[in-house]
Amino acid sequence: MFSGNEGDMPVNTGSKADISREKSAELYEKAKSFFPGGVNSPVRAFKSVYGTPLFIQKGDGCFVWDADGNQFIDFCGSWGPLILGHNHPKVREKVTEVMQNGMSFGAPTALENELAELIIKNNKYVEKIRFTSSGTEAVMSAIRLARGFTGRDKILKFEGCYHGHTDSLLVKAGSGLVTFGETSSAGVPKSFAQETIVIPLNDQKALTEAFEQFKGEIAAVIIEGIPANNGLLIQDQEYVNFLQQICKDNQSLLIFDEVITGFRLGFEGAAAHYGIKPDIVTYGKIIGGGLPVGMYGASAEIMAHISPDGGVYQAGTLSGNPVAMAAGIAQLSELLRSGFYKDLNNKASEFAESIQRFATARNYKLKVFHVGSIFWMAFTDKDKIQTAADIDPASMEKFKVLHRELLNRGIYFGPSGYEVGFVSAAHTKIELEKAKRAIFEALDLVFRNK
Ligand SMILES: *Cc1c(COP(=O)(O)O)cnc(C)c1O
């Protein structure tokens, strides 16, 4: 173990040879004939790192294996859902058991009640909920609910927050402090983007101006509990308090999109982390235990506006799917064990801080931001990165080198420097030490010609 003395690690002599990726490359060639870019979700395509995507054969605990048989310690965790690690026996057993009775009915099952009860009893931010099949759907529905509830049309979002691929949120900031958004995807009508106001994060002045400029028009402000899809942009407590107050003062709803942070920072997510009570919360990822799920929830009063009780329509053929519910029940039950989050978060912060100590000792321009079991390695010397504009795009060249060196040392990070990493309960001290050693070596190479 390198305890506090990381600066004395031996200097690595050079890059390792590339691991064999023949089978993955072959599968990727074939996939390109089926799917745009060879993938079913763009970030998987390895566009901003070296090489072609690894095709994963299996996962177990904190490990994944690719089609060529290479083993990796995984810090992507399927982009967040796998807080217990891959193929957790409790999750697998529950899913297998439930599947014996069939996989979908399009009618209610007791499993939906069971997962809902687990969530509502242990989470003070939601009184009633609705399950969907993805985070995107949850957010899309939460927005509709906010509009239906307030009778207003405009939504305010923040530059650098990702909320899934729903039209009105695929919008980026235009020029100027407070602007209507510009679409960030082809196929999103300008008129949709015109209903979305985009401002920078952590900026009270921009928020105040937006509410003045669009007085009485803003249905809701949507923010990631802690923005973690474009780097890890940890907001100040004071700012989040201000945000809650200004929403209240203007009778606009505050939506916390906790699809990543929900059940990750703790059972009550970023809302509890900040001690904020959002009006609507969205969850996804972890609550499905690796199967496709999302959900949104709010007070009983707000949720009464959802169909069939109310006039806001929202539905889903596979919503509340029994197999997905089973995975969620098994996973969330584990998270409720006493000390679960304390142990996980301690382990993750020790990991992040020890990488930071190594980098600092060597004067490397690297900051490891972390909260709970989420971490992000930013190639910067800024002490805080809280807005999208604080991220230097040129620094991503360093991530590219890091990513390749880590793959060649058996460490799997999501293939983009804008993505965060996750420590799971399955990462033991031994593997975290191994991963650290690989990261130290890789950083020495990244900064060799600094
Ligand atoms: C992942 C994510 C989404 C989208 O969820 P999908 O299941 O990918 O549709 C929405 N919001 C946040 C904050 C996310 O992290």
Side-chain angles (χ1 to χ4, degrees), residues 35 117 157 180 186 197 233 238 313-314 363 375 418 431:
F35 315 115
E117 195 165 13
K157 84 174 282 281
F180 284 126
I197 303 152
L233 309 175
E238 188 203 342
Y313 190 73
Q314 185 267 313
N363 283 321
F375 66 93
Y418 289 94
E431 282 109 22

Side-chain angles (χ1 to χ4, degrees), residues 164-281:
H165 60 91
T166 183
D167 277 345
S168 58
L169 295 171
L170 281 182
V171 169
K172 61 183 180 204
S175 50
L177 196 55
V178 176
T179 55
F180 284 126
E182 289 172 11
T183 67
S184 59
S185 162
V188 176
K190 259 208 187 91
S191 56
F192 286 24
Q194 294 271 298
E195 299 300 341
T196 306
I197 303 152
V198 186
I199 63 170
L201 282 159
N202 215 49
D203 185 338
Q204 297 193 10
K205 186 162 168 267
L207 202 50
T208 308
E209 277 187 23
F211 273 104
E212 278 166 8
Q213 198 170 326
F214 300 101
K215 203 159 186 54
E217 293 181 71
I218 300 175
V221 174
I222 183 165
I223 187 167
E224 285 183 64
I226 291 179
N229 276 288
N230 183 69
L232 183 61
L233 309 175
I234 302 172
Q235 303 298 292
D236 293 335
Q237 177 74 47
E238 188 203 342
Y239 177 72
V240 184
N241 293 346
F242 181 80
L243 171 63
Q244 174 170 256
Q245 192 56 47
I246 204 167
C247 287
K248 229 178 229 156
D249 294 345
N250 289 277
Q251 288 97 46
S252 298
L253 300 186
L254 176 58
I255 305 175
F256 256 36
D257 178 2
E258 298 230 38
V259 172
I260 273 198
T261 47
F263 305 89
R264 169 62 67 177
L265 300 185
F267 211 83
E268 295 177 307
H273 176 86
Y274 283 115
I276 291 288
K277 192 176 179 321
D279 299 294
I280 305 177
V281 192

Side-chain angles (χ1 to χ4, degrees), residues 41 44 78-79 81 132-139 161-166 169 222-229 256-261 282-285 291-294 419 422:
S41 195
R44 297 179 193 169
S78 189
W79 301 104
T132 61
S133 297
S134 69
T136 294
E137 261 184 276
V139 169
C161 281
Y162 176 70
H163 301 291
H165 60 91
T166 183
L169 295 171
I222 183 165
I223 187 167
E224 285 183 64
I226 291 179
N229 276 288
F256 256 36
D257 178 2
E258 298 230 38
V259 172
I260 273 198
T261 47
T282 57
Y283 297 116
K285 298 193 169 109
L291 274 83
V293 184
E419 300 288 349
F422 301 96

